């Protein structure tokens, strides 16, 4: 957790401090180093614990609190001071800034504002260019044709990532109309994307986690709305906020896109760190890959994030060779997932992810190796050995020896 910000807080008002503390405790990006109820002790607390951020609530005694801010700026210059107050008048903000505060937040603190402030502080610490306060990875799984295997990959990749205890993973079903990620995980969720999107500004992080359905694999699922008509309640801006909030809470977000390339899907593409474009080696799929890549090239910053994943590699029936496919697309294929209909359909019908249902199957191992190639920290669980053990050595050639970017 190299990008975690260590924070110390002072607020003589116990209930306000508790509320703020609860909000902060739900955020993986924050490590609460110390809390204090007296302004006069806080400078010592900061000197001893050296937090990255000192949060000073002004309301109980603004003069005393601002004196403290000035002392902190002088004695602990590496600690960025963030102040909160229910009075947002210009004079107070000016005094706070002149005393050395780096950020001013109005009480009650909104999660969006807090995230923005923490992001700016993290950026100032890391230098420009990295506005992510922590290394949350957003994976958008898109497809070139219906039924190409997008959800199979999204669900199983999320479950494999969640096996690593260092990871916290959320899976969001953005196929708002017909999404079936819940079926793959045999989950009956209490809340859906529409509930979270509509309450995004009011949610704190623990409430957010409670709104998601935790699967036994460790994955938190945020499913599509139940009613078709509720789709319209989710706007692109809502989704941007939801993804922002999830990024502050989870190390990995896996977004299963629809094939409609709607404004919602475009937000996912825009906010993704990697886009896996799933295709099969047949004419309709590859023609769409070419069309999609041509549109992505017209969009800012999308095409470079795309990695082509060939699904059901090895499936006979009028297939185009990998070489021909790469020539047609004008881009290397990043990964190939072997064809294994029986294993895949059994996992889906039982509502059990591949890591639980068929951990040794070549397709499971291939998805694990894909996770490893995407995030070097992930260990492919002895993918090669498992394939050799199961006598599927010939499938190894379906996987690139080295991932190509
Ligand atoms: N590698 C694979 N080998 C064999 N069958 C597969 C493979 N991947 C997926 N399938 C099968 O293909 C079918 C469609 O998969 P899936 O639902 O994941 O596709 P999708 O792209 O999400 O579809 P939709 O467009 O409806 O969202 C399923 O029956 C699934 O079991
Ligand atoms: Mg799907």
């Amino acid at each position: 957790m190299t990008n975690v910000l260590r924070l110390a807080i002072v607020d003589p008002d116990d209930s306000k401090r508790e509320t703020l503390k609860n909000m902060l405790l739900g955020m993986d990006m924050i490590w609460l180093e110390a809390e204090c109820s007296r302004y006069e002790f806080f400078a010592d607390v900061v000197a001893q614990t050296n937090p990255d951020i000192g949060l000073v609530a002004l309301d109980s005694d603004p003069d005393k609190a601002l004196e403290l801010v000035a002392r902190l700026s002088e004695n602990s210059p590496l600690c960025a001071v963030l102040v909160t107050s229910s009075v947002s008048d210009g004079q107070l903000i000016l005094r706070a800034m002149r005393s050395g505060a780096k950020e001013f937040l109005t009480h009650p603190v909104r999660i969006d504002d807090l995230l923005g402030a923490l992001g700016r502080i993290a950026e100032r610490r890391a230098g420009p260019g990295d506005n992510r306060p922590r290394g949350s990875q957003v994976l958008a799984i898109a497809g070139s044709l219906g039924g190409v295997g997008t959800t199979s990959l999204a669900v199983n990749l999320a479950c494999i990532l969640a096996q690593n205890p260092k990871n916290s993973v959320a899976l969001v079903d953005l196929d708002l109309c017909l999404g079936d990620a819940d079926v793959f995980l045999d989950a009956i969720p209490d809340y859906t994307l529409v509930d979270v999107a509509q309450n995004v500004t009011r949610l704190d992080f623990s409430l957010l986690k409670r709104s998601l359905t935790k699967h036994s694999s460790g994955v938190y699922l945020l499913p599509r709305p139940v009613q078709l008509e509720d789709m319209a309640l989710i706007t692109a801006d809502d989704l941007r906020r939801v993804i922002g909030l999830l990024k502050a809470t989870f190390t990995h977000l896996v977004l299963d896109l629809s094939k409609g390339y709607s404004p919602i899907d475009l937000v996912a593409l825009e906010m993704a760190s990697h886009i896996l474009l799933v295709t099969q080696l047949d004419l309709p799929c590859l023609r769409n890959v070419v069309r999609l890549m041509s549109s992505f090239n017209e969009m800012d910053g999308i095409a470079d994030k795309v990695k082509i994943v060939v699904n059901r590699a090895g499936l006979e029936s009028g297939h185009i060779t990998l070489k021909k496919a790469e020539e047609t697309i004008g881009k290397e294929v990043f990964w190939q997932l072997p064809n294994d209909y029986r294993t895949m359909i059994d996992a889906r019908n039982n509502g059990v992810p591949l890591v639980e249902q068929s951990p040794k199957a070549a397709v499971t191992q291939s998805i694990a190796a894909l996770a490893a190639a995407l995030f070097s920290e992930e260990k492919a669980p002895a993918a090669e050995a498992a394939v050799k053990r199961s006598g599927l050595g010939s499938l190894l050639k379906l996987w690139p020896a080295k991932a190509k970017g």
Side-chain angles (χ1 to χ4, degrees), residues 1 54-55 68 70 82 87 100 140 167-168 196 202 208 214 274 298-299 324-326 331 375:
M1 297 215 295
L55 196 157
L68 168 65
L82 196 160
V87 185
N167 294 344
S168 51
V196 172
R202 275 177 301 194
L208 173 75
K214 191 173 183 191
H274 299 282
E298 298 302 311
M299 299 176 195
K324 183 81 190 152
E326 286 183 330
K331 192 171 168 72
F375 311 110

PDB file of all heavy atoms in Angstrom, residues 1 54-55 68 70 82 87 100 140 167-168 196 202 208 214 274 298-299 324-326 331 375:
ATOM      1  N   MET A   1       0.839  -1.191   0.000  1.00  0.00           N
ATOM      2  CA  MET A   1       0.000   0.000   0.000  1.00  0.00           C
ATOM      3  C   MET A   1       0.881   1.251   0.000  1.00  0.00           C
ATOM      4  O   MET A   1       0.865   2.040   0.923  1.00  0.00           O
ATOM      5  CB  MET A   1      -0.912  -0.026   1.217  1.00  0.00           C
ATOM      6  CG  MET A   1      -1.879  -1.199   1.202  1.00  0.00           C
ATOM      7  SD  MET A   1      -3.483  -0.813   1.893  1.00  0.00           S
ATOM      8  CE  MET A   1      -3.082  -0.482   3.598  1.00  0.00           C
ATOM      9  N   GLY A  54      -2.555  16.503   8.219  1.00  0.00           N
ATOM     10  CA  GLY A  54      -3.119  16.856   9.520  1.00  0.00           C
ATOM     11  C   GLY A  54      -4.467  17.503   9.267  1.00  0.00           C
ATOM     12  O   GLY A  54      -4.551  18.520   8.559  1.00  0.00           O
ATOM     13  N   LEU A  55      -5.516  16.908   9.782  1.00  0.00           N
ATOM     14  CA  LEU A  55      -6.853  17.459   9.544  1.00  0.00           C
ATOM     15  C   LEU A  55      -7.290  18.229  10.795  1.00  0.00           C
ATOM     16  O   LEU A  55      -7.383  17.653  11.889  1.00  0.00           O
ATOM     17  CB  LEU A  55      -7.809  16.320   9.224  1.00  0.00           C
ATOM     18  CG  LEU A  55      -9.137  16.720   8.585  1.00  0.00           C
ATOM     19  CD1 LEU A  55      -9.727  15.543   7.819  1.00  0.00           C
ATOM     20  CD2 LEU A  55     -10.143  17.205   9.609  1.00  0.00           C
ATOM     21  N   LEU A  68      -2.951  26.866  15.705  1.00  0.00           N
ATOM     22  CA  LEU A  68      -2.385  25.517  15.567  1.00  0.00           C
ATOM     23  C   LEU A  68      -1.950  25.271  14.118  1.00  0.00           C
ATOM     24  O   LEU A  68      -0.860  24.743  13.875  1.00  0.00           O
ATOM     25  CB  LEU A  68      -3.436  24.474  15.984  1.00  0.00           C
ATOM     26  CG  LEU A  68      -3.117  23.026  15.637  1.00  0.00           C
ATOM     27  CD1 LEU A  68      -1.895  22.527  16.407  1.00  0.00           C
ATOM     28  CD2 LEU A  68      -4.312  22.120  15.927  1.00  0.00           C
ATOM     29  N   ALA A  70      -0.954  27.390  11.932  1.00  0.00           N
ATOM     30  CA  ALA A  70       0.284  28.127  11.674  1.00  0.00           C
ATOM     31  C   ALA A  70       1.479  27.399  12.308  1.00  0.00           C
ATOM     32  O   ALA A  70       2.555  27.296  11.696  1.00  0.00           O
ATOM     33  CB  ALA A  70       0.164  29.546  12.229  1.00  0.00           C
ATOM     34  N   LEU A  82      -5.142  20.149   6.312  1.00  0.00           N
ATOM     35  CA  LEU A  82      -6.468  20.239   5.690  1.00  0.00           C
ATOM     36  C   LEU A  82      -7.399  20.727   6.799  1.00  0.00           C
ATOM     37  O   LEU A  82      -7.390  20.170   7.899  1.00  0.00           O
ATOM     38  CB  LEU A  82      -6.813  18.834   5.261  1.00  0.00           C
ATOM     39  CG  LEU A  82      -7.899  18.512   4.285  1.00  0.00           C
ATOM     40  CD1 LEU A  82      -7.633  17.115   3.723  1.00  0.00           C
ATOM     41  CD2 LEU A  82      -9.244  18.532   4.895  1.00  0.00           C
ATOM     42  N   VAL A  87     -18.470  27.048   8.634  1.00  0.00           N
ATOM     43  CA  VAL A  87     -18.571  28.435   8.150  1.00  0.00           C
ATOM     44  C   VAL A  87     -17.659  28.557   6.934  1.00  0.00           C
ATOM     45  O   VAL A  87     -16.450  28.418   7.047  1.00  0.00           O
ATOM     46  CB  VAL A  87     -18.067  29.424   9.233  1.00  0.00           C
ATOM     47  CG1 VAL A  87     -18.273  30.854   8.807  1.00  0.00           C
ATOM     48  CG2 VAL A  87     -18.720  29.124  10.561  1.00  0.00           C
ATOM     49  N   GLY A 100      -1.407  28.633   6.513  1.00  0.00           N
ATOM     50  CA  GLY A 100      -0.646  27.520   5.935  1.00  0.00           C
ATOM     51  C   GLY A 100      -1.493  26.314   5.563  1.00  0.00           C
ATOM     52  O   GLY A 100      -0.945  25.277   5.167  1.00  0.00           O
ATOM     53  N   ALA A 140     -11.748  -2.049 -17.846  1.00  0.00           N
ATOM     54  CA  ALA A 140     -13.012  -2.075 -18.596  1.00  0.00           C
ATOM     55  C   ALA A 140     -12.955  -3.277 -19.529  1.00  0.00           C
ATOM     56  O   ALA A 140     -12.012  -3.423 -20.309  1.00  0.00           O
ATOM     57  CB  ALA A 140     -13.171  -0.785 -19.386  1.00  0.00           C
ATOM     58  N   ASN A 167      -5.455  -7.488  -2.439  1.00  0.00           N
ATOM     59  CA  ASN A 167      -6.403  -6.804  -3.322  1.00  0.00           C
ATOM     60  C   ASN A 167      -7.787  -6.690  -2.699  1.00  0.00           C
ATOM     61  O   ASN A 167      -8.214  -7.562  -1.949  1.00  0.00           O
ATOM     62  CB  ASN A 167      -6.559  -7.573  -4.639  1.00  0.00           C
ATOM     63  CG  ASN A 167      -5.283  -7.584  -5.465  1.00  0.00           C
ATOM     64  OD1 ASN A 167      -4.378  -6.785  -5.210  1.00  0.00           O
ATOM     65  ND2 ASN A 167      -5.199  -8.466  -6.432  1.00  0.00           N
ATOM     66  N   SER A 168      -8.481  -5.611  -3.048  1.00  0.00           N
ATOM     67  CA  SER A 168      -9.922  -5.551  -2.776  1.00  0.00           C
ATOM     68  C   SER A 168     -10.561  -5.223  -4.126  1.00  0.00           C
ATOM     69  O   SER A 168     -10.118  -4.307  -4.823  1.00  0.00           O
ATOM     70  CB  SER A 168     -10.233  -4.484  -1.730  1.00  0.00           C
ATOM     71  OG  SER A 168      -9.639  -3.267  -2.090  1.00  0.00           O
ATOM     72  N   VAL A 196     -26.864   3.053  -5.732  1.00  0.00           N
ATOM     73  CA  VAL A 196     -25.590   3.695  -5.395  1.00  0.00           C
ATOM     74  C   VAL A 196     -25.439   5.007  -6.167  1.00  0.00           C
ATOM     75  O   VAL A 196     -25.045   6.032  -5.609  1.00  0.00           O
ATOM     76  CB  VAL A 196     -24.407   2.731  -5.671  1.00  0.00           C
ATOM     77  CG1 VAL A 196     -23.075   3.431  -5.526  1.00  0.00           C
ATOM     78  CG2 VAL A 196     -24.482   1.549  -4.711  1.00  0.00           C
ATOM     79  N   ARG A 202     -24.285  11.100  -0.832  1.00  0.00           N
ATOM     80  CA  ARG A 202     -24.605  10.901   0.585  1.00  0.00           C
ATOM     81  C   ARG A 202     -23.921   9.688   1.192  1.00  0.00           C
ATOM     82  O   ARG A 202     -23.954   9.485   2.399  1.00  0.00           O
ATOM     83  CB  ARG A 202     -26.118  10.747   0.745  1.00  0.00           C
ATOM     84  CG  ARG A 202     -26.811  12.089   0.855  1.00  0.00           C
ATOM     85  CD  ARG A 202     -28.273  11.891   0.946  1.00  0.00           C
ATOM     86  NE  ARG A 202     -28.729  11.168  -0.241  1.00  0.00           N
ATOM     87  CZ  ARG A 202     -29.990  11.055  -0.596  1.00  0.00           C
ATOM     88  NH1 ARG A 202     -30.925  11.576   0.145  1.00  0.00           N
ATOM     89  NH2 ARG A 202     -30.348  10.424  -1.682  1.00  0.00           N
ATOM     90  N   LEU A 208     -21.137   2.409   1.416  1.00  0.00           N
ATOM     91  CA  LEU A 208     -20.912   1.971   0.035  1.00  0.00           C
ATOM     92  C   LEU A 208     -20.625   0.468   0.011  1.00  0.00           C
ATOM     93  O   LEU A 208     -21.229  -0.281  -0.752  1.00  0.00           O
ATOM     94  CB  LEU A 208     -19.736   2.729  -0.581  1.00  0.00           C
ATOM     95  CG  LEU A 208     -19.300   2.233  -1.961  1.00  0.00           C
ATOM     96  CD1 LEU A 208     -20.277   2.669  -3.029  1.00  0.00           C
ATOM     97  CD2 LEU A 208     -17.910   2.719  -2.315  1.00  0.00           C
ATOM     98  N   LYS A 214     -21.210  -8.908  -1.244  1.00  0.00           N
ATOM     99  CA  LYS A 214     -19.909  -9.587  -1.161  1.00  0.00           C
ATOM    100  C   LYS A 214     -20.070 -11.067  -1.480  1.00  0.00           C
ATOM    101  O   LYS A 214     -20.844 -11.768  -0.854  1.00  0.00           O
ATOM    102  CB  LYS A 214     -19.282  -9.397   0.219  1.00  0.00           C
ATOM    103  CG  LYS A 214     -17.841  -9.865   0.231  1.00  0.00           C
ATOM    104  CD  LYS A 214     -17.117  -9.554   1.506  1.00  0.00           C
ATOM    105  CE  LYS A 214     -15.657 -10.008   1.357  1.00  0.00           C
ATOM    106  NZ  LYS A 214     -14.946  -9.991   2.604  1.00  0.00           N
ATOM    107  N   HIS A 274      -6.991   0.085 -18.013  1.00  0.00           N
ATOM    108  CA  HIS A 274      -6.807  -0.852 -19.126  1.00  0.00           C
ATOM    109  C   HIS A 274      -8.180  -1.158 -19.720  1.00  0.00           C
ATOM    110  O   HIS A 274      -9.145  -1.308 -18.980  1.00  0.00           O
ATOM    111  CB  HIS A 274      -6.253  -2.198 -18.649  1.00  0.00           C
ATOM    112  CG  HIS A 274      -4.916  -2.117 -18.005  1.00  0.00           C
ATOM    113  ND1 HIS A 274      -3.750  -1.996 -18.706  1.00  0.00           N
ATOM    114  CD2 HIS A 274      -4.568  -2.151 -16.706  1.00  0.00           C
ATOM    115  CE1 HIS A 274      -2.735  -1.964 -17.872  1.00  0.00           C
ATOM    116  NE2 HIS A 274      -3.201  -2.054 -16.635  1.00  0.00           N
ATOM    117  N   GLU A 298     -10.294   8.125 -32.579  1.00  0.00           N
ATOM    118  CA  GLU A 298     -10.801   9.498 -32.642  1.00  0.00           C
ATOM    119  C   GLU A 298     -11.058  10.069 -31.235  1.00  0.00           C
ATOM    120  O   GLU A 298     -11.336  11.245 -31.074  1.00  0.00           O
ATOM    121  CB  GLU A 298     -12.126   9.558 -33.424  1.00  0.00           C
ATOM    122  CG  GLU A 298     -12.024   9.125 -34.876  1.00  0.00           C
ATOM    123  CD  GLU A 298     -11.024   9.974 -35.632  1.00  0.00           C
ATOM    124  OE1 GLU A 298     -11.099  11.210 -35.523  1.00  0.00           O
ATOM    125  OE2 GLU A 298     -10.155   9.386 -36.312  1.00  0.00           O
ATOM    126  N   MET A 299     -11.055   9.187 -30.230  1.00  0.00           N
ATOM    127  CA  MET A 299     -11.363   9.656 -28.871  1.00  0.00           C
ATOM    128  C   MET A 299     -10.057   9.879 -28.121  1.00  0.00           C
ATOM    129  O   MET A 299      -9.080   9.161 -28.337  1.00  0.00           O
ATOM    130  CB  MET A 299     -12.192   8.605 -28.112  1.00  0.00           C
ATOM    131  CG  MET A 299     -13.519   8.289 -28.743  1.00  0.00           C
ATOM    132  SD  MET A 299     -14.295   6.951 -27.801  1.00  0.00           S
ATOM    133  CE  MET A 299     -15.568   6.464 -28.948  1.00  0.00           C
ATOM    134  N   LYS A 324      -3.321 -13.398 -39.414  1.00  0.00           N
ATOM    135  CA  LYS A 324      -4.224 -12.651 -40.303  1.00  0.00           C
ATOM    136  C   LYS A 324      -5.045 -11.636 -39.476  1.00  0.00           C
ATOM    137  O   LYS A 324      -5.264 -10.500 -39.905  1.00  0.00           O
ATOM    138  CB  LYS A 324      -5.155 -13.664 -41.008  1.00  0.00           C
ATOM    139  CG  LYS A 324      -6.084 -13.044 -42.016  1.00  0.00           C
ATOM    140  CD  LYS A 324      -5.379 -12.811 -43.332  1.00  0.00           C
ATOM    141  CE  LYS A 324      -6.237 -11.975 -44.259  1.00  0.00           C
ATOM    142  NZ  LYS A 324      -5.477 -11.183 -45.195  1.00  0.00           N
ATOM    143  N   ALA A 325      -5.485 -12.091 -38.283  1.00  0.00           N
ATOM    144  CA  ALA A 325      -6.283 -11.205 -37.423  1.00  0.00           C
ATOM    145  C   ALA A 325      -5.462  -9.979 -37.024  1.00  0.00           C
ATOM    146  O   ALA A 325      -5.948  -8.841 -37.098  1.00  0.00           O
ATOM    147  CB  ALA A 325      -6.737 -11.957 -36.177  1.00  0.00           C
ATOM    148  N   GLU A 326      -4.219 -10.220 -36.640  1.00  0.00           N
ATOM    149  CA  GLU A 326      -3.370  -9.094 -36.216  1.00  0.00           C
ATOM    150  C   GLU A 326      -3.127  -8.134 -37.388  1.00  0.00           C
ATOM    151  O   GLU A 326      -3.134  -6.924 -37.219  1.00  0.00           O
ATOM    152  CB  GLU A 326      -2.046  -9.607 -35.638  1.00  0.00           C
ATOM    153  CG  GLU A 326      -2.229 -10.221 -34.249  1.00  0.00           C
ATOM    154  CD  GLU A 326      -0.941 -10.688 -33.603  1.00  0.00           C
ATOM    155  OE1 GLU A 326      -0.011 -11.077 -34.347  1.00  0.00           O
ATOM    156  OE2 GLU A 326      -0.866 -10.674 -32.352  1.00  0.00           O
ATOM    157  N   LYS A 331      -2.915  -4.385 -34.955  1.00  0.00           N
ATOM    158  CA  LYS A 331      -2.499  -4.320 -33.552  1.00  0.00           C
ATOM    159  C   LYS A 331      -2.245  -5.755 -33.089  1.00  0.00           C
ATOM    160  O   LYS A 331      -2.934  -6.681 -33.522  1.00  0.00           O
ATOM    161  CB  LYS A 331      -3.647  -3.692 -32.745  1.00  0.00           C
ATOM    162  CG  LYS A 331      -3.308  -3.288 -31.336  1.00  0.00           C
ATOM    163  CD  LYS A 331      -4.471  -2.478 -30.734  1.00  0.00           C
ATOM    164  CE  LYS A 331      -4.321  -2.301 -29.234  1.00  0.00           C
ATOM    165  NZ  LYS A 331      -3.273  -1.397 -28.827  1.00  0.00           N
ATOM    166  N   PHE A 375      -1.022  -7.049 -14.165  1.00  0.00           N
ATOM    167  CA  PHE A 375      -0.545  -6.450 -12.908  1.00  0.00           C
ATOM    168  C   PHE A 375       0.601  -7.313 -12.429  1.00  0.00           C
ATOM    169  O   PHE A 375       0.363  -8.386 -11.892  1.00  0.00           O
ATOM    170  CB  PHE A 375      -1.664  -6.427 -11.860  1.00  0.00           C
ATOM    171  CG  PHE A 375      -2.946  -5.874 -12.402  1.00  0.00           C
ATOM    172  CD1 PHE A 375      -4.041  -6.684 -12.600  1.00  0.00           C
ATOM    173  CD2 PHE A 375      -3.041  -4.535 -12.740  1.00  0.00           C
ATOM    174  CE1 PHE A 375      -5.220  -6.185 -13.111  1.00  0.00           C
ATOM    175  CE2 PHE A 375      -4.213  -4.018 -13.259  1.00  0.00           C
ATOM    176  CZ  PHE A 375      -5.304  -4.845 -13.446  1.00  0.00           C
TER     177      PHE A 375
END
